[in-house]
């Protein structure tokens, strides 16, 4: 079974630029999550999708972050404009359904200069 | 009070010993509990989940849950140097929106 796919693995941009991350969940997984993990901390949920609908985006900085999951499969997370404090690893995870164990992709390490 | 608390460590144990990792949570209504292992520079990897009070064993790993004390632990028997990693405790809280909340992790070091 293929795992959660994410790209790119690494991204370096300057502040105020924009960036986008892509995620393809495990086949058949209805729930998709985006997390932000800052060094030394646990992952923090940014947004959760159930199929193609948003069920929680309470911790997503909506003035600069956006995410979509068209057709209930792939998802993209965008940051525009980036700030220095956005430097982190962005993790995508998926699960069969809500409250089921989540499986993570390799993540995208974002560095803001 | 943090929703999920872990000692950041490092917890140092010799090879072959039992490593005991602990986690407390604040939401008494929480129902689902997970342990993830994260190697440096890698993403979290699910190693155990437990839903009911008591013990759950899988190979060298045992998860223990005590809902009355709001406490969940992970025991690693016969610890190996390859077990050296950060162990993240995660809880799906029972009140409000049911999302997975992570602790900050405990760093485990197993010395040969």
């Amino acid at each position: 079974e293929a795992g959660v796919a994410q790209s790119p693995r690494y991204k370096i941009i300057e502040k105020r630029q924009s960036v986008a991350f892509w995620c393809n969940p495990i086949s058949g997984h209805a729930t998709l999550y985006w997390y932000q993990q800052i060094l030394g901390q646990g992952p923090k949920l940014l947004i959760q999708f159930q199929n193609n609908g948003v069920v929680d985006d309470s911790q997503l900085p909506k003035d600069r972050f956006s995410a979509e999951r068209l057709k209930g499969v792939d998802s993209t997370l965008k940051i525009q404009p980036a700030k220095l404090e956005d430097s982190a690893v962005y993790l995508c995870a998926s699960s069969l359904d809500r409250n089921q164990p989540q499986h993570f992709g390799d993540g995208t390490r974002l560095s803001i200069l | 009070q943090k929703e999920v608390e872990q000692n950041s460590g490092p917890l140092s144990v010799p090879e072959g010993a039992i490593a005991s990792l602990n986690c407390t949570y604040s939401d008494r209504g929480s129902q689902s509990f997970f342990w993830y292992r994260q190697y440096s520079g890698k993403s979290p990897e699910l190693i155990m989940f437990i839903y009911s009070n008591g013990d759950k064993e899988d190979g060298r790993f045992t998860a223990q849950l005590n809902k009355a004390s709001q406490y969940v632990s992970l025991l690693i028997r016969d610890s190996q140097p390859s077990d050296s990693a950060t162990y993240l405790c995660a809880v799906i809280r029972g009140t409000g929106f049911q999302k997975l909340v992570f602790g900050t992790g405990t760093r485990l070091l197993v010395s040969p």
Side-chain angles (χ1 to χ4, degrees):
Chain A
E1 177 184 73
V4 176
Q6 286 190 250
S7 67
R9 288 298 312 279
Y10 305 92
K11 191 73 177 178
I12 301 173
I13 62 172
E14 294 185 350
K15 60 182 179 183
R16 291 187 289 273
Q17 287 187 323
S18 63
V19 64
F21 313 125
W22 173 83
C23 173
N24 185 266
I26 294 172
S27 177
H29 281 197
T31 316
L32 185 147
Y33 315 79
W34 283 102
Y35 288 87
Q36 180 192 60
Q37 187 174 24
I38 292 172
L39 191 64
Q41 299 181 19
K44 183 184 84 171
L45 181 68
L46 293 176
I47 189 166
Q48 178 177 337
F49 293 93
Q50 182 71 13
N51 296 308
N52 61 345
V54 175
V55 294
D56 180 33
D57 62 358
S58 58
Q59 296 194 91
L60 187 74
K62 298 181 188 63
D63 58 333
R64 299 183 299 106
F65 286 64
S66 64
E68 60 183 10
R69 190 185 184 195
L70 300 176
K71 301 180 182 178
V73 182
D74 293 14
S75 177
T76 56
L77 175 70
K78 297 179 182 178
I79 307 175
Q80 182 180 14
K83 290 186 175 181
L84 292 175
E85 63 257 34
D86 298 333
S87 292
V89 176
Y90 290 85
L91 296 162
C92 179
S94 70
S95 62
L96 273 172
D97 205 342
R98 295 164 72 172
N99 300 335
Q100 295 297 308
Q102 297 179 22
H103 300 272
F104 286 81
D106 289 336
T108 297
R109 186 175 299 274
L110 176 65
S111 297
I112 312 294
L113 304 180
Chain B
Q1 182 186 13
K2 292 182 181 178
E3 291 191 69
V4 180
E5 296 211 50
Q6 296 180 258
N7 187 316
S8 60
L11 172 66
S12 296
V13 300
E15 184 176 356
I18 296 175
S20 177
L21 303 159
N22 305 314
C23 172
T24 58
Y25 58 95
S26 61
D27 185 345
R28 185 168 289 278
S30 298
Q31 297 295 323
S32 305
F33 307 86
F34 305 85
W35 282 100
Y36 285 83
R37 177 176 62 197
Q38 188 170 28
Y39 292 112
S40 181
K42 301 294 186 181
S43 63
E45 173 192 8
L46 178 69
I47 53 173
M48 289 287 288
F49 59 90
I50 185 167
Y51 301 142
S52 304
N53 270 332
D55 295 0
K56 179 181 178 183
E57 187 174 318
D58 183 1
R60 295 187 297 113
F61 299 100
T62 299
Q64 298 176 319
L65 175 61
N66 183 326
K67 289 185 178 180
S69 300
Q70 295 175 240
Y71 176 94
V72 58
S73 65
L74 179 71
L75 301 178
I76 306 175
R77 289 182 300 281
D78 188 23
S79 295
Q80 301 296 309
S82 58
D83 294 326
S84 298
T86 296
Y87 289 80
L88 296 163
C89 172
V91 175
I92 293 182
R93 62 185 191 190
T95 55
F97 181 76
Q98 294 181 331
K99 70 178 183 183
L100 190 64
V101 179
F102 283 85
T104 55
T106 298
R107 186 172 167 220
L108 173 66
L109 296 175
V110 181
S111 54

